[in-house]
Amino acid sequence: MPYCLGYLFMPSPFYITTAIDYANGSPHLGHAYEKVLSDVISRHMRMSGRKVHFLTGLDEHGQKVQQTALKRGVEPQALVDEIAAVFKGMLGDLNISHDDYIRTTEPRHKKVVQQFLQKLFDQGLIYKGQKTDWYSTRQEQFLTDKDRDADGSWPEIYGEVTQTTEENFYFKLSQFQPWLVEHIKSHPDFITPRFRQNQVLEFLKEPMNDLCISRPKSRLTWGIELPFDTSFVTYVWFDALTNYYSAVADKGFWPADVHVIGKDILSPPHAVYWPCMLKALGIEPPRQLLVHGWWTVNNQKASKSSGNATNTLSFADSHGADAFRYYLCREMVVGQDADFSTTTFENRYKADLGNNLGNLVNRLLNMVGRNYAGAIPAAAADEELEKNLRQLWSDSIKKYNEAFADYQVSHALEALWVFISAMNAYIEARAPWKLAKSTEADDRARLDSCLAHVAEGLRLVGTILTPVMPATCDKLLTNIGRPVATHFEGELTWSAACTGSKVAEKCILFPPIEAPTETPSA
Ligand code: MSP
């Protein structure tokens, strides 16, 4: 079959993207969180039987990169090459399973940006105009009076704001406003969580301006040249947004199923510019924008100058990438803001992971080793306690899956930990260490059942939790004598799969951290 025809017969993969990070600083908590969240969703989808295409990357053009390169006396390309290596290093450290990494300086990307621009220009949707406007160098954007604070001053985020008269190219964004409002209203899942949609619709109550999509080379050279006028480069947002399409242009994966982004870049870039650009080009919009909130560190703004948000990444080193992944997913309710602190991190590490999960595994290995020569017994007695535990698993996995269907990973984990806590309560209630001392046949049957149930419960937990803590779950499953989990189908219902499995002698999933962890400076 000819190569391209193959796509016609293959179901298109679940296509998920993250925002592409600015190549103008070090990776930090916000970048890490978004990659982890997207990775957990990707792994979960793969284990659910979907083919997945997971894209992330780096946003490498623009004034700030040009300025930093100039300051450091290096070529912008050399600078972004260096930064790309650091950002990719973070992905490795966090065990991110992306399928592709796009950099906006790559030819495959530039080609598509220029095709988009040319097409819009040919359709008469890009025109040249002159404007005198307020311009923020820091944000690389023109401002209007709407952007001022109530007292008339410019918000701090814009830095120095100056008046500039400039000839530029404009995309006729405003003509797509009625379509966009209708699209958002008729696709209630387009912007998730729902309350973010209302904010966008509120923004769209005011008439939109056309979008300036160029920068004169006299001011900025580090960008993609406009194909129809090489004395201009492309506005960074037009350039950056196109990455989602350029990375898969020849693969047939469009439209994206979900763009995972932070709330700061929802409106206007992702909720307004991007769908309108695509509409103008006759391309389907993405199916969904999944908008997460903002991390603070010790209740302080994550700031580049203090490095507080970058320092938090050291927790992945000290406590392991999986503990860090778990903490981020558990602590931030998707859509809402969250705070990172040493205290909450260590509490979750000790309580949720060490005591609740890690100790349970060791208790099991210990008891099975001591009483059954390391082979998990078959369940013999079946009393109220066992029935309740199995019922609780059914309830928890149902809640887990329902929450996950809305990408509410934190709620899913919360539901799972109800089950893990119940397993701890179950083992306390059964007191297998006492049963082991009894000579009664009933007690022996209860002991069999207790260890069989804890083993099975841990197998189920290790399976569903693999996308969140891949290496830890591989270790957990291997240590209870089971193969690592590669898929969910048939693996999430209560079974006797563990019977006879040979457990390891000992397994430390979450070693106690001796040295006091330094609080990330704020
Ligand atoms: N380059 C643009 C995105 C272009 S997408 C076509 C950009 N880059 S960024 O480096 O500033 O941010 C990358 C992602 O990290 C964004 O989704 C942003 O919301 C997220 N975060 C950056 N800081 C954050 C926090 N403190 N908390 C949570 N996420 C935040 O924007």
Side-chain angles (χ1 to χ4, degrees), residues 19-22 28 30-31 34 59 237 240-241 243-244 260-265 270 292-295 302 332:
I20 48 171
D21 302 324
Y22 280 133
H28 64 61
H31 304 133
E34 198 172 275
D59 187 355
W237 270 110
L241 288 162
N243 91 86
Y244 302 129
V260 181
I261 55 166
K263 65 178 184 181
D264 58 317
I265 56 171
H270 284 83
H292 63 76
W294 205 248
W295 281 96
M332 178 174 263

Side-chain angles (χ1 to χ4, degrees), residues 233-440:
V233 294
T234 312
Y235 170 47
V236 274
W237 270 110
F238 190 100
D239 167 350
L241 288 162
T242 303
N243 91 86
Y244 302 129
Y245 190 87
S246 65
V248 296
D250 57 356
K251 294 192 167 82
F253 296 165
W254 192 262
D257 287 274
V258 55
H259 290 321
V260 181
I261 55 166
K263 65 178 184 181
D264 58 317
I265 56 171
L266 171 64
S267 186
H270 284 83
V272 179
Y273 302 163
W274 183 225
C276 291
M277 281 164 63
L278 291 166
K279 177 71 184 163
L281 289 157
I283 299 173
E284 251 188 90
R287 296 201 170 101
Q288 193 168 53
L289 306 175
L290 179 61
V291 188
H292 63 76
W294 205 248
W295 281 96
T296 50
V297 180
N298 293 325
N299 291 312
Q300 308 280 316
K301 198 169 165 246
S303 93
K304 228 185 253 173
S305 50
S306 74
N308 61 351
T310 296
N311 295 347
T312 57
L313 301 189
S314 69
F315 280 74
D317 264 350
S318 57
H319 294 67
D322 279 354
F324 186 73
R325 290 166 63 102
Y326 169 76
Y327 172 82
L328 297 188
C329 289
R330 178 66 186 86
E331 201 66 21
M332 178 174 263
V333 172
V334 175
Q336 289 170 26
D337 296 341
D339 185 55
F340 190 111
S341 76
T342 305
T343 316
T344 53
F345 191 99
E346 291 191 338
N347 283 347
R348 290 224 178 268
Y349 186 79
K350 283 186 198 142
D352 297 13
L353 299 181
N355 293 343
N356 235 342
L357 184 56
N359 283 352
L360 188 63
V361 176
N362 257 326
R363 271 179 158 182
L364 175 77
L365 301 192
N366 212 326
M367 295 297 299
V368 174
R370 235 190 260 167
N371 299 292
Y372 296 88
I376 295 170
D382 196 21
E383 297 174 331
E384 210 52 29
L385 284 176
E386 283 73 32
K387 288 187 181 119
N388 287 346
L389 191 69
R390 292 200 301 270
Q391 182 58 47
L392 196 71
W393 167 254
S394 305
D395 298 345
S396 294
I397 190 67
K398 187 164 173 274
K399 283 190 190 139
Y400 190 100
N401 286 331
E402 278 166 7
F404 214 101
D406 293 330
Y407 305 129
Q408 284 300 343
V409 185
S410 168
H411 293 150
L413 291 173
E414 198 180 350
L416 189 64
W417 252 259
V418 169
F419 174 70
I420 297 173
S421 300
M423 280 210 286
N424 280 291
Y426 167 74
I427 210 168
E428 284 297 328
R430 270 284 175 240
W433 43 93
K434 283 190 195 151
L435 295 174
K437 288 189 193 134
S438 165
T439 49
E440 300 279 320

